[in-house]
Amino acid sequence: MRFANHLLVGLLALLYLSSCQTSAPPTSVVPPTELSFKLHEINKEALYSSVATMDVDQDGDLDIVHGGTWYAAPDWQAHFVTEVEVINGRPDGYSHLEIDVNQDGWQDIVHVNFRSKSIYWLEHPGADLGEWTKHIADVPGPMETGRLHDVDGDGQLDLVPSAWEFAAWYEIVVDQPGEKPKWVRHEIAPEGAGHGSGFGDINGDGRGDYVGTKGWAEAPEDPREGAWIWHAEFELGRTSMPIVVADVDEDGDSDLIYAIGHDYGVYWEEQTNMDGQRGWTKHLIDSTWSQGHSPLWVDLDNNGRKEFVAGKRFWAHEGKDPGAEDPLVIYRYEFDPEQKAFQRYTIQANGPAGTGLDPKAVDLDQDGDLDLVLPGRSGLYWYENLLLNPNTN
């Protein structure tokens, strides 16, 4: 049955893709630059929706970990990681979060999952590079994916799942390097559950707040023990993960940028203040494509201003989402403060790569600019940014 499910998804992907055509930052902000990208096919038959980039063998190069396989740079030779459970046709790995969980000097990977409802981590085997060991951290309920943030400001990354039935964060406690970690769950606010979440300082008090689709939870002075205060200030719909928190218009307060995860639309919510009353004004960025499930907030053109990088997730619900059969597109949107609007730049107009659930922006070839490593049910791809190396072959 597992093989049949994989075969069916693979055939669907091949049928769809046969119609597609592939086509040190400065200190001050400069105008955006048109960029060129070179597409590299890592594995067009891969089906996992998340990816990690890390130096697996500690040779100085960034490798790629994708489900049950890691690919060694620079020639991307495949190596076994572990067997991955397939549940109703989907591999169980809805995030690939790089973090040294047990602090033994080797980066591990945290998976946050929907169908198994579990959080587990794969322990790096160490210098022998053998099979990775799976450890269950918790089984709290269905989660679309997760991201890492320093919630309590202690300098250590914490796990913030994007969950349907709860809103909480997990502190990873290790008493001694190499020992078994403790996963300590801290509640945020039940109103924060739903399809989409983000994290950032909304009210300017220096603490990271939790953003849901129907409002935001204000972080207490002690995020571990204090009560988070819920503010039901907006209705965003079934959004992307993450909802980006950033000062888009550079007016001194945080705004929100997001896509709709299973429909058309990319938006930003402008934070306003009228006589001390916070409000939100919704602005449309783009309505021409759908399923922008997993955006990134990064500076691809090295001009000092981050861009909202988003693309279509391939075959998220077996073709049932609006626009599911539209071309696979990937865009970057940079805000123009003079026009007070986002400008769109194309990365992929009609190609093979989707953005899955946990794509990565990283300087994979270590040439000084950020590249895109893109997972999904249409395969695993690397878009090499040619900003600083335009003559690459």
Side-chain angles (χ1 to χ4, degrees):
M1 181 62 72
R2 185 184 329 189
F3 175 80
N5 285 330
H6 275 75
L7 180 61
L8 176 60
V9 172
L11 289 173
L12 287 171
L14 288 173
L15 287 171
Y16 176 84
L17 295 173
S18 66
S19 66
C20 294
Q21 299 176 353
T22 59
S23 52
T27 57
S28 60
V29 173
V30 298
T33 304
E34 285 284 3
L35 298 179
S36 295
F37 292 84
K38 180 180 179 181
L39 178 66
H40 299 264
E41 178 186 289
I42 306 300
N43 184 355
K44 69 179 180 180
E45 298 180 355
L47 298 174
Y48 302 94
S49 292
S50 299
V51 68
T53 53
M54 52 195 284
D55 187 359
V56 175
D57 50 5
Q58 296 190 355
D59 66 350
D61 295 325
L62 286 176
D63 310 302
I64 296 173
V65 186
H66 187 57
T69 305
W70 71 275
Y71 300 88
D75 58 357
W76 312 119
Q77 181 179 355
H79 302 270
F80 180 68
V81 172
T82 190
E83 293 289 342
V84 178
E85 183 181 11
V86 177
I87 304 173
N88 297 329
R90 301 291 184 95
D92 197 41
Y94 285 56
S95 72
H96 281 41
L97 306 176
E98 310 95 332
I99 181 173
D100 184 0
V101 174
N102 58 353
Q103 299 178 18
D104 66 349
W106 297 88
Q107 277 200 311
D108 312 300
I109 299 176
V110 175
H111 292 252
V112 181
N113 303 292
F114 186 82
R115 298 196 178 188
S116 70
K117 306 178 182 180
S118 71
I119 298 168
Y120 69 84
W121 63 286
L122 294 178
E123 182 179 359
H124 193 296
D128 65 3
L129 300 178
E131 183 172 357
W132 299 46
T133 303
K134 178 178 178 179
H135 304 273
I136 299 293
D138 198 7
V139 187
M143 298 159 289
E144 291 276 337
T145 187
R147 295 294 185 265
L148 298 173
H149 301 281
D150 183 3
V151 177
D152 51 6
D154 66 351
Q156 302 295 320
L157 289 174
D158 309 297
L159 174 64
V160 183
S162 192
W164 279 29
E165 299 172 353
F166 69 93
W169 64 280
Y170 287 82
E171 181 183 5
I172 307 171
V173 179
V174 179
D175 293 330
Q176 295 292 332
E179 289 188 356
K180 181 179 179 180
K182 303 181 184 73
W183 294 76
V184 182
R185 173 170 164 166
H186 302 278
E187 302 302 322
I188 296 177
E191 298 92 338
H195 193 293
S197 64
F199 186 83
D201 185 4
I202 295 293
N203 58 354
D205 65 357
R207 297 192 288 268
D209 305 303
Y210 177 91
V211 178
T213 61
K214 299 179 180 180
W216 63 283
E218 180 180 347
E221 186 174 352
D222 183 356
R224 297 185 187 92
E225 303 294 338
W228 295 63
I229 301 171
W230 183 253
H231 300 271
E233 295 179 352
F234 42 73
E235 286 272 358
L236 306 182
R238 300 181 71 209
T239 71
S240 56
M241 283 151 277
I243 300 166
V244 173
V245 180
D247 185 3
V248 171
D249 50 2
E250 301 175 359
D251 64 351
D253 56 29
S254 291
D255 311 296
L256 308 176
I257 319 103
Y258 59 95
I260 300 300
H262 295 283
D263 209 329
Y264 291 89
V266 182
Y267 301 92
W268 73 283
E269 299 273 347
E270 180 183 1
Q271 185 175 164
T272 60
N273 190 301
M274 184 68 68
D275 298 326
Q277 183 69 33
R278 184 174 41 251
W280 301 88
T281 302
K282 186 174 185 176
H283 302 272
L284 174 66
I285 299 174
D286 196 347
S287 62
T288 63
W289 60 280
S290 69
Q291 298 172 276
H293 207 283
S294 307
L296 298 163
W297 182 242
V298 293
D299 183 6
L300 291 182
D301 59 7
N302 280 11
N303 73 341
R305 178 178 283 119
K306 289 186 177 181
E307 304 126 64
F308 187 78
V309 179
K312 185 180 182 67
R313 180 183 172 194
F314 176 67
W315 224 243
H317 289 154
E318 274 55 51
K320 298 176 183 177
D321 288 338
E325 297 185 4
D326 293 348
L328 285 172
V329 297
I330 304 170
Y331 298 112
R332 62 187 184 96
Y333 301 87
E334 183 159 330
F335 190 77
D336 184 337
E338 293 185 0
Q339 300 292 327
K340 276 197 69 105
F342 279 90
Q343 304 300 314
R344 189 179 86 175
Y345 302 87
T346 300
I347 296 173
Q348 174 181 282
N350 183 12
T355 55
L357 292 169
D358 189 7
K360 295 292 160 60
V362 64
D363 188 2
L364 193 65
D365 53 2
Q366 302 182 63
D367 67 349
D369 51 36
L370 294 177
D371 310 299
L372 298 174
V373 184
L374 304 172
R377 302 177 78 190
S378 64
L380 175 64
Y381 301 92
W382 162 33
Y383 264 115
E384 180 186 357
N385 188 347
L386 302 182
L387 175 66
L388 297 180
N389 192 15
N391 298 317
T392 185
N393 294 320

